[in-house]
Amino acid sequence: MAKRLNNLLRGQSDETTSHSTRSPKNGNQVAGYAALRAHSTPSQPFALCLRRSLCRALHLDLLATVLRWFNANRIKFWRTLRELSGDDGFDRYLSLHAVAHPDTTPLSRSAWFAHEQQQKWTGIKRCC
Amino acid sequence: MKTNITAILIWLSVAFLGACAVGGIALHRGESINALWFITAALCIYAIAYRFYAAWIAATVLSIDATRATPAERLSNGRDYMPTNRWIVFGHHFAAIAGPGPLVGPTLAAQFGYLPGTLWILFGAVLGGCVQDMMTLFFSTRRDGKSLGQMARDELGAVGGVAALIATFLIMIILIAVLGLVVVNAMKNSPWATSTVAATIPIAMLVGLYMYKLRPGRVLEGSMLGVILLLLSVVGGGWIDGQAGLREWFNHPGLTLAFAVIGYGFAAAILPVWLLLAPRDYLSTFVKLGTVTLLALAILWMRPDIKMPALTQFIDGSGPIFGGKLFPFVFITIACGAISGFHALIASGTTPKLLANERDIPMIGYGGMLLESMVAMMAMIAATVLDPGVYFAINSPNGIVGKTAVEAVATISAWGFPVTVEQMNLLARQMGEATLFARTGGAPSLAVGMASIFGSAFGQGMLALWYHFAIMFEAIFILTTLDAGTRVGRFMLQDMLGNIWKPLGRTSWYPSVLFTSAIVVAAWGYFLYIGIIDPNGGVNILWPLFGISNQILAAIALCVATGILVKSGKLKYAWITALPLIWLVVITTTASWQKLASSDPRIGFLAAANSLSDKLAAGTLPPDKAATAPQLIFNQQLDAVLVLFFVLLLWLIVVDMLRVCARHLRGKPVPPLSEAPHHVTQLEEAWQRD
């Protein structure tokens, strides 16, 4: 993750290398960028030129890099978000239960949630 | 070696930049100063404090041991004790400690100018608040996640334990009252704000039903649904405000709203948690994190200018929002964001039970508080980007500046902060309000500040929407604190009363639930009611009382920490907690003394009671004021008793701690250290990291 962040901070040149090795889809896109950067090919369609200047004006290339970075790590983000919010609490409970008490049936989803809420709000949980 | 030199150079430049920024803020005397200086100063100071001070405390003073099993591992039960990823623990810890306090305190303290509050937020946090949080977290982790009260009892003796318990209960009552006052002042005579805040209640219940009945445990789905509904309620409030008949339903004076909040508090305390409290907490956490991030981005994007002077003439104690000199009252007013004793309750008892490894303690304890300090800094920026005239017009109560708009602007302009009726009317119209005068409490001026920052970053056209979004944002987690605080107060009361008559101690016995909830709600409801009828604005009384009680709780936590340091043979490092402790004792004692003995009726409780009873006896009060005067006189006397009690409690525990330390140093028996024995961690992660 840190390496990817560094790449991102350093700019596109590193990002090009890192992406071209990752997946063919990204590789194509990066090849497109490289062609844009070369700028000299007469066959370059007008649309591409326009896109390039727009990208420059709006820093869209940076945005695209950021979005691609998010996309590449989307599963990780989703997992973190679920873990942070407690959305995956029941799954974690089930796996813990399977290890700790394999011989008993675990609580149902709604019984577990009711128990969890009650337990969460019996101490000092919020502050000024 | 090479990386060492690079690191040294980087940290030297961070130190240099930080010093320049702080120097710039402190020495600047001109028209305005850019908010970016504040952010730079804060980030540099936090980075250096975290990298060097926190790391030094962790390594040298506490001797943090990454191979030692934490209570989360040793006592793991899949419920409260559970080793958890450190970022998740950080998220939970921050969500728990950061409430409305760091938003309201700096906004009120801005009456002294931007400088005193800013410096206290920066240095109070890195030398006091963060140290307190981290030390408490560490000591509780080494003691199976015991609470502050239990640690005080084990390490110092029964006196400390009882003092911590009583301080916690009283602080809770005053905190809830003052927060209720902030919400009421934001909603009074504002159909838009009132209807939006009212709508959050059914929305939370809907989300509760969704998470509990429809799709049990799907927290994210429910929260997303709720956040969308909340945003719609902000828009819907604007629509209601435009309907001639409908708006009267939500157009109420302060007193009616205060009773509504009291009734709501009682209902929330006796309803099952899944229906109101739990879903509201999910919503408020999401909205809070989102809005604070958005505010940070908007400040970075806009880089607004601070218009408040560095110091105002009110450092002499004549401030309109609350009376009292710069020393000690700026340190009392900003508790959360600089040092807040309440955090010690979260850092002991709750967070240690999740900690997977001791080496996460600096990040969660020290770092969590740094982030809260940053929130306080942003609140300070949002309050001081307003024209000072506008800031004082919004925050000064009627009793100080005069009842009508013309009187108010004349008084405020005479102070040297020019403002006109037209300017205030235009602002009120832009924000979709009838008037913004005398909305004491911090929430509305913060909302205006936030709305103007958001407005200039994301478009001016929606100022009214941004304003009411900011009001909704503050109200939703103030109400969460109100619900949760009432509940905790109820548990504590049941615990205490259970000693007198057993059945009262049963937390699920309904008559006991009703009875104790009613007592807790009546207690804070009383202070809220008095706060509303007080013409000088209840904030003038309640906020200092809250600050004093919160700092006293911090002093108790620091006493426990100092006592443990001395008893573990680390006398030469005891200054780490002793210095902030001495500072807290000095400021709270001075403030309490002034609150008791000052002859200025706006500062001294007894002076206020006497001056009011003199006026009542002389018959110079108008009839409506004469009717409420006896209640106000009684309340001032009650507050005097309360503050005396607080300061006695503080000295009791300080003397107790000194006694234990002195006995230990002279080799006499003291309560033994209650640290849990060392077990080697079995968690692989501890060995793998780094």
Side-chain angles (χ1 to χ4, degrees):
Chain A
M1 169 96 76
K3 199 176 150 208
R4 313 261 305 141
L5 251 177
N6 282 334
N7 281 339
L8 191 72
L9 291 174
R10 248 179 257 139
Q12 270 191 334
S13 55
D14 287 81
E15 173 259 328
T16 313
T17 52
S18 80
H19 273 289
S20 52
T21 54
R22 284 184 73 86
S23 70
K25 191 184 159 208
N26 281 342
N28 283 341
Q29 260 175 321
V30 171
Y33 276 114
L36 282 178
R37 236 181 260 119
H39 192 260
S40 56
T41 37
S43 61
Q44 196 175 36
F46 173 69
L48 269 184
C49 274
L50 188 69
R51 198 178 128 194
R52 182 186 170 220
S53 41
L54 264 178
C55 281
R56 258 205 184 154
L58 301 174
H59 299 289
L60 278 185
D61 42 359
L62 184 69
L63 187 71
T65 318
V66 172
L67 285 180
R68 224 176 298 134
W69 178 66
F70 269 104
N71 192 39
N73 291 294
R74 65 181 185 278
I75 294 174
K76 214 172 178 178
F77 287 134
W78 177 237
R79 211 182 294 142
T80 312
L81 184 67
R82 289 196 66 202
E83 214 175 327
L84 261 175
S85 60
D87 199 57
D88 64 345
F90 186 61
D91 305 337
R92 270 191 288 163
Y93 162 76
L94 283 186
S95 49
L96 238 152
H97 190 272
V99 177
H101 319 279
D103 43 344
T104 57
T105 28
L107 294 174
S108 73
R109 193 179 253 280
S110 49
W112 165 82
F113 190 66
H115 182 261
E116 191 75 347
Q117 299 287 301
Q118 203 58 44
Q119 144 113 17
K120 184 177 172 188
W121 290 102
T122 25
I124 296 178
K125 289 290 143 68
R126 286 292 174 268
C127 178
C128 44
Chain B
M1 198 61 208
K2 194 180 165 222
T3 50
N4 251 345
I5 293 172
T6 326
I8 290 171
L9 284 178
I10 289 176
W11 283 110
L12 275 179
S13 50
V14 170
F16 180 70
L17 187 64
C20 287
V22 175
I25 294 171
L27 301 176
H28 180 89
R29 294 290 178 278
E31 277 293 287
S32 59
I33 176 170
N34 199 283
L36 215 53
W37 286 102
F38 290 68
I39 302 282
T40 313
L43 291 180
C44 291
I45 286 180
Y46 296 159
I48 286 179
Y50 182 74
R51 171 62 187 80
F52 296 101
Y53 194 43
W56 175 75
I57 294 178
T60 313
V61 183
L62 303 178
S63 312
I64 275 178
D65 181 358
T67 64
R68 192 182 178 114
T70 59
E73 180 189 347
R74 282 184 290 112
L75 308 172
S76 177
N77 59 6
R79 296 198 310 273
D80 45 351
Y81 288 93
M82 191 153 52
T84 309
N85 175 294
R86 59 176 177 163
W87 289 103
I88 309 294
V89 184
F90 183 86
H92 282 298
H93 183 75
F94 178 68
I97 63 170
L103 295 176
V104 177
T107 311
L108 301 178
Q111 75 164 356
F112 292 126
Y114 66 74
L115 187 57
T118 302
L119 292 181
W120 170 235
I121 291 172
L122 289 180
F123 293 101
V126 299
L127 298 176
C130 297
V131 176
Q132 176 215 237
D133 288 18
M134 177 165 128
M135 295 290 225
T136 312
L137 179 58
F138 174 80
F139 289 132
S140 177
T141 305
R142 283 278 170 102
R143 283 160 183 73
D144 294 345
K146 278 191 186 140
S147 72
L148 179 68
Q150 284 169 315
M151 287 199 291
R153 198 172 50 221
D154 294 348
E155 300 289 342
L156 301 179
V159 176
V162 174
L165 191 70
I166 297 176
T168 311
F169 184 71
L170 288 178
I171 204 181
M172 201 83 82
I173 299 293
I174 294 168
L175 169 73
I176 299 174
V178 76
L179 292 180
L181 189 62
V182 169
V183 187
V184 168
N185 279 341
M187 295 194 299
K188 69 177 179 197
N189 299 323
S190 165
W192 190 338
T194 310
S195 56
T196 302
V197 174
T200 63
I201 299 167
I203 290 173
M205 291 169 107
L206 205 68
V207 172
L209 282 170
Y210 183 92
M211 284 185 194
Y212 192 76
K213 297 274 183 211
L214 278 176
R215 304 260 297 152
R218 317 276 182 188
V219 169
L220 271 180
E221 288 171 19
S223 304
M224 286 307 116
L225 176 79
V227 169
I228 292 170
L229 288 176
L230 283 180
L231 295 179
L232 287 178
S233 80
V234 176
V235 181
W239 179 80
I240 286 178
D241 194 33
Q243 308 297 310
L246 212 49
R247 77 189 297 277
E248 288 315 309
W249 283 59
F250 296 98
N251 192 6
H252 298 291
L255 204 53
T256 318
L257 291 170
F259 282 116
V261 168
I262 293 170
Y264 163 78
F266 183 69
I270 57 171
L271 283 177
V273 277
W274 62 264
L275 185 57
L276 191 54
L277 176 54
R280 177 193 279 293
D281 181 64
Y282 284 115
L283 296 183
S284 78
T285 307
F286 276 104
V287 171
K288 176 165 68 188
L289 294 180
T291 311
V292 166
T293 316
L294 200 63
L295 184 61
L297 290 176
I299 288 176
L300 285 179
W301 188 303
M302 281 319 298
R303 300 182 291 277
D305 277 336
I306 304 292
K307 300 196 185 106
M308 182 69 77
L311 291 169
T312 65
Q313 67 268 41
F314 301 126
I315 54 176
D316 67 358
S318 61
I321 303 169
F322 57 91
K325 287 197 172 119
L326 178 69
F327 177 85
F329 283 98
V330 73
F331 307 105
I332 295 293
T333 308
I334 303 182
C336 312
I339 179 164
S340 161
F342 224 125
H343 293 188
L345 303 177
I346 306 285
S348 65
T350 308
T351 306
K353 297 179 182 171
L354 300 174
L355 209 63
N357 192 303
E358 279 190 5
R359 84 171 98 179
D360 300 338
I361 286 176
M363 171 197 160
I364 292 158
Y366 204 94
M369 178 64 201
L370 282 182
L371 196 56
E372 171 164 299
S373 179
M374 191 71 213
V375 173
M377 193 56 114
M378 291 196 298
M380 180 58 98
I381 291 174
T384 49
V385 295
L386 296 176
D387 275 326
V390 170
Y391 166 85
F392 284 110
I394 298 175
N395 281 304
S396 305
N398 283 333
I400 306 289
V401 291
K403 268 220 176 329
T404 66
V406 179
E407 280 169 6
V409 294
T411 318
I412 293 163
S413 301
W415 287 333
F417 304 112
V419 61
T420 60
V421 177
E422 293 75 43
Q423 191 183 354
M424 288 302 292
N425 284 346
L426 176 68
L427 192 67
R429 225 177 15 256
Q430 280 177 336
M431 300 294 163
E433 290 287 291
T435 174
L436 286 171
F437 280 106
R439 290 193 173 268
T440 320
S445 74
L446 183 62
V448 173
M450 279 170 69
S452 49
I453 293 174
F454 285 148
S456 46
F458 309 109
Q460 289 283 350
M462 305 194 300
L463 271 177
L465 275 179
W466 281 120
Y467 173 84
H468 290 94
F469 171 77
I471 292 285
M472 182 276 287
F473 147 77
E474 286 167 73
I476 189 170
F477 64 91
I478 285 181
L479 290 180
T480 306
T481 309
L482 194 140
D483 296 2
T486 307
R487 234 180 116 73
V488 169
R490 186 193 105 198
F491 284 130
M492 295 173 85
L493 196 63
Q494 285 185 312
D495 204 32
M496 288 185 247
L497 293 179
N499 295 324
I500 302 169
W501 190 45
K502 270 265 174 291
L504 278 180
R506 286 192 350 235
T507 49
S508 52
W509 189 48
Y510 221 65
S512 165
V513 170
L514 286 179
F515 175 66
T516 47
S517 300
I519 293 182
V520 174
V521 172
W524 62 254
Y526 164 77
F527 286 106
L528 172 58
Y529 166 76
I530 295 286
I532 298 288
I533 63 170
D534 189 338
N536 288 335
V539 168
N540 182 44
I541 290 179
L542 283 174
W543 193 264
L545 214 51
F546 162 63
I548 289 174
S549 57
N550 201 356
Q551 309 280 36
I552 281 175
L553 198 55
I556 293 175
L558 288 169
C559 274
V560 173
T562 312
I564 294 178
L565 279 181
V566 171
K567 278 165 61 184
S568 6
K570 291 180 175 162
L571 180 65
K572 66 172 173 175
Y573 297 127
W575 58 268
I576 293 169
T577 49
L579 281 185
L581 174 61
I582 293 171
W583 180 242
L584 285 184
V585 170
V586 169
I587 54 167
T588 47
T589 309
T590 319
S592 306
W593 173 250
Q594 294 190 3
K595 282 301 204 188
L596 281 174
S598 168
S599 57
D600 179 350
R602 292 203 50 241
I603 303 173
F605 289 133
L606 294 176
N610 291 341
S611 107
L612 203 58
S613 52
D614 287 350
K615 278 186 202 160
L616 190 63
T620 51
L621 290 175
D624 58 324
K625 285 200 176 156
T628 56
Q631 285 172 312
L632 292 176
I633 293 167
F634 170 75
N635 180 54
Q636 299 275 8
Q637 287 162 343
L638 178 69
D639 293 338
V641 173
L642 212 54
V643 92
L644 186 67
F645 177 73
F646 278 142
V647 80
L648 287 179
L649 203 65
L650 169 71
W651 278 98
L652 191 70
I653 192 161
V654 169
V655 169
D656 200 36
M657 183 271 289
L658 290 176
R659 182 187 63 87
V660 170
C661 290
R663 282 178 70 87
H664 174 78
L665 295 175
R666 280 186 289 148
K668 292 192 176 166
V670 290
L673 284 174
S674 55
E675 194 167 288
H678 182 284
H679 291 276
V680 176
T681 178
Q682 304 298 316
L683 293 179
E684 282 181 2
E685 192 229 20
W687 307 97
Q688 282 174 352
R689 200 186 293 159
D690 301 338

